[in-house]
C-alpha cells in the first residue's frame, strides 16, 4: 500500500496556490478534514471491516500502477469489475497480516511514522517537506491525516513481519546444487529448417479451386446488414459565439468581483501545538513567551506538530475558514507579530502567532481572459439547456431530422453505411451503434431518444437507409479465397514434409544427411546453455522444452514465428556442474533459491494466520 501511494504521488501537481488552506499536520487533526464518502462493509477480517471505499481506492491504485508500467494500454480496457476480485483479495491478505503483526506486538513509534511522511518524495518541494502538497495528495487519495498515519503504521508493521518471516528462510548447498543441475544444463542438438516461403512459391491455386471453395462456403461470403443514419449533434462547442460577450459585460463582472473582495484578506499564522492536556507545560510556555523568548525557538522546543515545527510553526494563509472556529476567532483579533493566549481545539492546545496579512486585489488585465471564459460558458450553458429541451421536443416522433435541424439552426449530418461492428466518426460510438440497430430505429423507423455521448454532448439519430445482408460476388472475394487456400495448402504440405523427414531421422538418418538430400540448411549446436547469445534464441528455447533423450536422440519439430518449420534432434543433455560455474552464477542461484524459500515461508505463514481469523465477504 505504501509503495502504491508513493507511486501515485508521481502524478501530484507541483504548483499549489498559496491561498489553499494549509493542513494541520499533527497528531489527531485528521478528522478536521476528510471522511470517506462511501460507507458499507464488503468484507470483514476478524472485527475489522473493509469498506467499499477501500476497495474502490485499491482498484484505482491498481489501475494507476498498470498504466504507469504499460503506458500503451487503453485505460478504458481496465474494467473495475475485472480488477475488483484481486483488489479485494489484496486488502484481505493485507489486513490478515496487519492483525497478525499487531497480535505479535509489532508497532511503530510516532517519530518513525513522521519520518516516513517527511521522506516521501511526493510531499516535497525542492527537497523540503511541503504541507500544501501533503494536503492535496491526501485529498486526492481520499485519506485524512489520521487515516494516512494509520495506513503507514500498518504498512510498516507488515513490512517488519514479512522481514522477520523472510529472515527465517535459508538455503542449503544441496538446494543450490540441485538448481544448478537444471539451470546450468548443457545440450547438444542438430536441426534443419524447412522454409515456408520456398514451399509457398510452389503452390498454385486454380480458378476451379476458387470457384469450388466459393460454392461450398457461400455462407462465409455474405455482407453484414448495414445502416446509414441521419443525426443531429448538440454540444456546447457548436453553440459558442466569441462575439456574444462584450467588453462592457467583462468590465461589469470584474467590478462586481473586485467589490466583493475589497475587504477580503488572508492571514498567515504560525503555532505551537501541545496535543495532550498538560497545564504545567502550557504555563511554562506562557512564562517563556512573557520573557520574550523568540516564538520560533519555542516552536522547535515544544511543538508536537512535526510538519510545521521544522519551519517555525508556519501554517500558511487562512481566509477565515481553514481552521476550527475558535482557532479562526483568535486569529481575527491578533495584530501582526502578536501571540494568542492558549486556544483549545480537538487537536490540542495552540499558541498562535499572526505573521502576515495580505489584502486581496484584482487587476483587470490579469482577470480579463478568465472572466471572458466564465461569461461565455454561462451564456452557452443557458442557451444549451434551452436548445437541448427543444431538441428533445422536436425530435420526438419527427418524420425528418432535417426539418428539426433547420428549425433549431443546427446541421443534420448523414453517416456512411456501417455494420454492427461499427464505422467511422460517430458510427464508431458503441451507444450510437446499439441504438441504430435497435427495433425502434431500425424496424419501426422512429427517431431515437436524445442520448448523451459524453459530458455535455448529445445526439439524436434516425434511419436513413438499410442494406440487408447480401451474397458477395466471387470477383470481390477471389483474392481472399486464394490466400486462404494457399495458407491451408501450405500448412498441409509443411506438416506432410516435416512428418516425412521426421520419420527418416527416427529411422536412423542424421539431420545432416536428410538436409543434404532435401537441399535444406542445417546446424549443429554443442554445449548450448539456456542463456545463448550466439544461437537462435527461439530455437534454443524450444530445444530446452524437449524431454531428455534416453539411449537414442529425442526427435521433434516445431513451427517458428516466421512460419518456417524446424526439425530437431536432441542428442545429449549434461547436467550443470556446481563446482565449475562462476561465483557470480552461484550467487544468483543462491538468491533465486532464497527467494523461492522466502515466498514459500510467507505463503505458509499467511495460510496459518488466515485460518485463525474469521473472514467474511
Amino acid at each position: 500500500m505504501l509503495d502504491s501511494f508513493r507511486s501515485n504521488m508521481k502524478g501530484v501537481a507541483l504548483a499549489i496556490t498559496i491561498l489553499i488552506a494549509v493542513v494541520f499536520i499533527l497528531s489527531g487533526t485528521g478528522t478536521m478534514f476528510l471522511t470517506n464518502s462511501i460507507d458499507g462493509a464488503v468484507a470483514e477480517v476478524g472485527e475489522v471491516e473493509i469498506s467499499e471505499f477501500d476497495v474502490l481506492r485499491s482498484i484505482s491504485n491498481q489501475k494507476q500502477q498498470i498504466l504507469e508500467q504499460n503506458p500503451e494500454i487503453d485505460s478504458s480496457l481496465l474494467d473495475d469489475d475485472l480488477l475488483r476480485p484481486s483488489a479485494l483479495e489484496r486488502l484481505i491478505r493485507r489486513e490478515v497480516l496487519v492483525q497478525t503483526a499487531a497480535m505479535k506486538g509489532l508497532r511503530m513509534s510516532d517519530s518513525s511514522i513522521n519520518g516516513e511522511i517527511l521522506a516521501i518524495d511526493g510531499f516535497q518541494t525542492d527537497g523540503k517537506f511541503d504541507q500544501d502538497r501533503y494536503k492535496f495528495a491526501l485529498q486526492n487519495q481520499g485519506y485524512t491525516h489520521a487515516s494516512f498515519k494509520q495506513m503507514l503504521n500498518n504498512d510498516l508493521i507488515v513490512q517488519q513481519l514479512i522481514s522477520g518471516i523472510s529472515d527465517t528462510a535459508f538455503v542449503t548447498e544441496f538446494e543450490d546444487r540441485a538448481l544448478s543441475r537444471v539451470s546450468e544444463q548443457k545440450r547438444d542438438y542438430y536441426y534443419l529448417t524447412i522454409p515456408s516461403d520456398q514451399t509457398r512459391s510452389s503452390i498454385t491455386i486454380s480458378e476451379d479451386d476458387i470457384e469450388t471453395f466459393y460454392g461450398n462456403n457461400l455462407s462465409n461470403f455474405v455482407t453484414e446488414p448495414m445502416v446509414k443514419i441521419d443525426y443531429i449533434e448538440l454540444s456546447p462547442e457548436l453553440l459558442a459565439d466569441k462575439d456574444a460577450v462584450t467588453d462592457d459585460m467583462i468590465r461589469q463582472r470584474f467590478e462586481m468581483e473586485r467589490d466583493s473582495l475589497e475587504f477580503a484578506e488572508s492571514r498567515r499564522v504560525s503555532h505551537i501545538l501541545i496535543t495532550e492536556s498538560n497545564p504545567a507545560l502550557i504555563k511554562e510556555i506562557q512564562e517563556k513567551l512573557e520573557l520574550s523568548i523568540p516564538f520560533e525557538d519555542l516552536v522547535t522546543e515544544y511543538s508536537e506538530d512535526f510538519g510545521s515545527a521544522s519551519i517555525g510553526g508556519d501554517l500558511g494563509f487562512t481566509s477565515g475558514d481553514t481552521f476550527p472556529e475558535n482557532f479562526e476567532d483568535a486569529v481575527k483579533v491578533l495584530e501582526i507579530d502578536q501571540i494568542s493566549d492558549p486556544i483549545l481545539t480537538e487537536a490540542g492546545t495552540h499558541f498562535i502567532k499572526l505573521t502576515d496579512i495580505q489584502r486581496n486585489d484584482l487587476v483587470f488585465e490579469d482577470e480579463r481572459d478568465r472572466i471572458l471564459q466564465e461569461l461565455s460558458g454561462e451564456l452557452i450553458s443557458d442557451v444549451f439547456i434551452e436548445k437541448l429541451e427543444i431538441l428533445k421536443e422536436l425530435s420526438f416522433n419527427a418524420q425528418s431530422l432535417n426539418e428539426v435541424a433547420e428549425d433549431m439552426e443546427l446541421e443534420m449530418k448523414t453517416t456512411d453505411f456501417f455494420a454492427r461492428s461499427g464505422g467511422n466518426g460517430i458510427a464508431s460510438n458503441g451507444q450510437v451503434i446499439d441504438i441504430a440497430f435497435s427495433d425502434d430505429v431500425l424496424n419501426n423507423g422512429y427517431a431515437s431518444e436524445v442520448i448523451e455521448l459524453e459530458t455535455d454532448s448529445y445526439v439524436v439519430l434516425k434511419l436513413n437507409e438499410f442494406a440487408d445482408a447480401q451474397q458477395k460476388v466471387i470477383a470481390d472475394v477471389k483474392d481472399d479465397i486464394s490466400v486462404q487456400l494457399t495458407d491451408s495448402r501450405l500448412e498441409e504440405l509443411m506438416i506432410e514434409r516435416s512428418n516425412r523427414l521426421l520419420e527418416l531421422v527416427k529411422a536412423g538418418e542424421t539431420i545432416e544427411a536428410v538436409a543434404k538430400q532435401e537441399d535444406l540448411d542445417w546446424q549443429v549446436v554443442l554445449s548450448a546453455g539456456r542463456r545463448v547469445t550466439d544461437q537462435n534464441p527461439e530455437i534454443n528455447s524450444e530445444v530446452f522444452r524437449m524431454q531428455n533423450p534416453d539411449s537414442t536422440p529425442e526427435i521433434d519439430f516445431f513451427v517458428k514465428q516466421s512460419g518456417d518449420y524446424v526439425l530437431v534432434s536432441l542428442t545429449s543433455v549434461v547436467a550443470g556442474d556446481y563446482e565449475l560455474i562462476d561465483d557470480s552464477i552461484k550467487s544468483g542461484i543462491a538468491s533465486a533459491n532464497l527467494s523461492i524459500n522466502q515466498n514459500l515461508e510467507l505463503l505458509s505463514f499467511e495460510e496459518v494466520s488466515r485460518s485463525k481469523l474469521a473472514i467474511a465477504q
Side-chain angles (χ1 to χ4, degrees):
M1 181 69 76
L2 178 55
D3 289 339
S4 68
F5 191 93
R6 282 175 168 151
S7 175
N8 289 338
M9 289 306 95
K10 295 177 183 177
V12 175
L14 296 179
I16 302 178
T17 175
I18 195 170
L19 293 179
I20 292 180
V22 182
V23 69
F24 270 126
I25 307 178
L26 42 91
S27 177
T29 62
T31 54
M32 292 164 60
F33 298 104
L34 299 174
T35 56
N36 291 351
S37 58
I38 300 178
D39 298 323
V42 296
E44 291 184 7
V45 179
E47 297 182 357
V48 175
E49 295 183 346
I50 295 175
S51 70
E52 177 68 13
F53 184 85
D54 295 328
V55 176
L56 294 177
R57 182 163 55 200
S58 180
I59 291 172
S60 175
N61 288 338
Q62 283 193 63
K63 283 184 178 180
Q64 189 155 348
Q65 290 173 2
I66 292 170
L67 292 174
E68 286 179 355
Q69 296 167 7
N70 306 276
E72 72 283 356
I73 289 181
D74 182 356
S75 60
S76 64
L77 299 177
L78 300 178
D79 184 78
D80 285 7
D81 291 337
L82 294 177
L83 296 175
R84 185 181 183 86
S86 61
L88 179 57
E89 177 60 22
R90 286 172 63 181
L91 290 172
I92 291 174
R93 291 181 62 190
R94 177 177 179 275
E95 184 58 37
V96 167
L97 292 177
V98 167
Q99 294 188 33
T100 303
M103 286 187 288
K104 292 184 176 297
L106 299 181
R107 61 183 299 276
M108 298 300 299
S109 65
D110 278 348
S111 62
S112 297
I113 297 173
N114 294 343
E116 282 286 335
I117 294 176
L118 292 173
I120 293 176
D121 289 342
F123 299 155
Q124 296 183 5
T125 299
D126 297 329
K128 295 183 178 180
F129 183 81
D130 186 324
Q131 298 183 75
D132 287 334
R133 292 192 69 190
Y134 176 79
K135 177 184 176 182
F136 180 80
L138 263 62
Q139 288 178 329
N140 189 51
Q141 288 288 302
Y143 286 101
T144 65
H145 174 68
S147 66
F148 181 62
K149 284 190 69 175
Q150 184 61 51
M151 183 275 289
L152 280 182
N153 177 76
N154 291 346
D155 274 338
L156 292 171
I157 64 172
V158 166
Q159 288 176 12
Q160 277 189 349
L161 179 64
I162 292 175
S163 177
I165 296 168
S166 298
D167 288 346
T168 65
F170 61 92
V171 178
T172 65
E173 184 177 308
F174 175 81
E175 290 174 301
D176 288 344
R177 289 179 178 274
L179 181 56
S180 69
R181 285 196 291 272
V182 177
S183 65
E184 305 310 307
Q185 189 182 91
K186 303 295 182 183
R187 297 194 168 200
D188 297 343
Y189 58 93
Y190 296 76
Y191 70 91
L192 60 81
T193 304
I194 307 172
S196 59
D197 288 345
Q198 185 183 87
T199 305
R200 182 185 293 275
S201 64
S202 68
I203 298 173
T204 301
I205 304 298
S206 68
E207 293 293 331
D208 287 343
D209 293 333
I210 293 174
E211 290 179 3
T212 299
F213 186 85
Y214 175 79
N216 292 336
N217 298 276
L218 289 174
S219 61
N220 293 338
F221 304 108
V222 178
T223 63
E224 292 184 83
M226 304 183 77
V227 295
K228 181 189 293 186
I229 60 169
D230 298 329
Y231 68 96
I232 300 173
E233 187 175 5
L234 179 64
S235 67
E237 291 76 15
L238 296 174
L239 303 178
D241 181 358
K242 63 180 181 180
D243 298 323
V245 179
T246 66
D247 285 339
D248 286 344
M249 295 170 65
I250 297 174
R251 175 65 69 176
Q252 288 176 8
R253 175 63 63 87
F254 169 77
E255 291 176 353
M256 181 178 68
E257 290 185 0
R258 186 180 60 186
D259 291 343
S260 67
L261 292 173
E262 187 174 358
F263 302 105
E265 62 183 23
S266 296
R267 293 172 173 249
R268 188 166 192 166
V269 295
S270 299
H271 79 150
I272 299 169
L273 172 71
I274 306 300
T275 58
E276 302 294 335
S277 177
N278 190 334
L281 182 60
I282 292 171
K283 182 179 179 182
E284 180 180 327
I285 296 172
Q286 284 181 296
E287 291 174 349
K288 289 188 177 183
L289 286 171
E290 291 171 357
L291 293 174
S292 299
I293 295 177
F295 186 82
E296 291 74 15
D297 293 346
L298 297 180
V299 168
T300 302
E301 182 177 357
Y302 293 104
S303 183
E304 297 174 21
D305 176 356
F306 71 90
S308 68
S310 62
I311 51 176
D314 182 32
L315 294 175
F317 284 91
T318 175
S319 56
D321 55 5
T322 303
F323 305 119
E325 184 177 355
N326 57 336
F327 189 106
E328 294 286 0
D329 288 343
V331 172
K332 290 177 184 177
V333 299
L334 293 176
E335 301 293 335
I336 291 180
D337 292 332
Q338 186 179 359
I339 301 168
S340 72
D341 292 330
I343 303 298
L344 183 64
T345 71
E346 291 182 2
T349 302
H350 309 261
F351 290 91
I352 307 167
K353 179 179 180 180
L354 180 65
T355 59
D356 191 14
I357 298 177
Q358 286 189 354
R359 288 180 171 79
N360 299 321
D361 197 4
L362 296 179
V363 178
F364 180 74
E365 292 305 322
D366 293 341
E367 306 298 327
R368 189 183 189 285
D369 290 344
R370 174 186 62 80
I371 295 174
L372 173 60
Q373 291 182 353
E374 290 179 358
L375 290 175
S376 297
E378 291 170 8
L379 291 177
I380 291 172
S381 178
D382 293 340
V383 174
F384 182 76
I385 293 172
E386 181 181 353
K387 285 271 190 182
L388 181 59
E389 292 304 315
I390 295 174
L391 179 61
K392 290 178 179 179
E393 182 179 346
L394 294 182
S395 63
F396 183 75
N397 288 335
Q399 296 300 311
S400 168
L401 290 186
N402 190 46
E403 295 177 359
V404 176
E406 288 179 356
D407 289 344
M408 296 190 63
E409 298 181 344
L410 296 173
E411 180 183 3
M412 187 198 78
K413 299 179 181 179
T414 303
T415 66
D416 294 329
F417 276 107
F418 63 92
R420 287 186 181 273
S421 56
N424 299 320
I426 198 170
S428 65
N429 183 280
Q431 284 182 277
V432 171
I433 295 168
D434 290 341
I435 292 174
F437 283 91
S438 67
D439 282 341
D440 281 349
V441 174
L442 181 61
N443 299 324
N444 299 329
Y446 299 150
S448 72
E449 293 183 354
V450 176
I451 56 174
E452 184 177 5
L453 297 184
E454 52 191 42
T455 304
D456 289 339
S457 180
Y458 295 81
V459 67
V460 59
L461 56 92
K462 196 174 191 302
L463 181 67
N464 178 289
E465 188 176 349
F466 172 71
D468 204 351
Q470 296 180 356
Q471 186 69 48
K472 296 179 181 178
V473 298
I474 191 170
D476 292 340
V477 296
K478 177 179 177 180
D479 291 342
D480 291 339
I481 293 175
S482 179
V483 171
Q484 189 173 346
L485 290 174
T486 300
D487 289 344
S488 178
R489 182 60 178 153
L490 174 64
E491 184 178 5
E492 292 174 3
L493 291 174
M494 293 291 284
I495 292 176
E496 180 183 312
R497 190 178 186 188
S498 297
N499 282 328
R500 179 171 59 81
L501 301 186
L502 181 65
E503 293 304 318
L504 289 174
V505 177
K506 285 184 175 181
E509 294 278 0
T510 65
I511 288 286
E512 179 183 2
V514 171
K516 288 180 178 179
Q517 293 171 20
E518 298 285 327
D519 193 24
L520 298 172
D521 291 334
W522 69 281
Q523 295 286 335
V524 58
V525 181
L526 302 176
S527 297
R530 294 179 182 273
R531 301 174 294 277
V532 295
T533 57
D534 56 346
Q535 299 295 331
N536 185 304
E538 184 181 1
I539 294 174
N540 198 75
S541 178
E542 291 291 341
V543 169
F544 270 88
R545 291 190 178 97
M546 295 173 64
Q547 294 183 356
N548 291 1
D550 294 326
S551 57
T552 59
E554 184 73 16
I555 314 297
D556 204 354
F557 74 86
F558 61 88
V559 185
K560 292 175 62 178
Q561 292 181 355
S562 64
D564 295 343
Y565 279 50
V566 177
L567 178 61
V568 179
S569 173
L570 174 60
T571 58
S572 173
V573 174
V574 178
D577 189 336
Y578 187 77
E579 303 297 338
L580 299 179
I581 60 179
D582 293 340
D583 288 342
S584 61
I585 296 178
K586 287 181 180 178
S587 177
I589 289 172
S591 296
N593 267 328
L594 180 60
S595 179
I596 292 170
N597 290 348
Q598 287 173 336
N599 286 333
L600 291 174
E601 291 279 359
L602 181 58
L603 286 173
S604 298
F605 182 84
E606 280 189 36
E607 289 180 7
V608 173
S609 299
R610 194 162 183 154
S611 67
K612 296 178 180 179
L613 293 169
I615 298 176
Q617 54 180 303

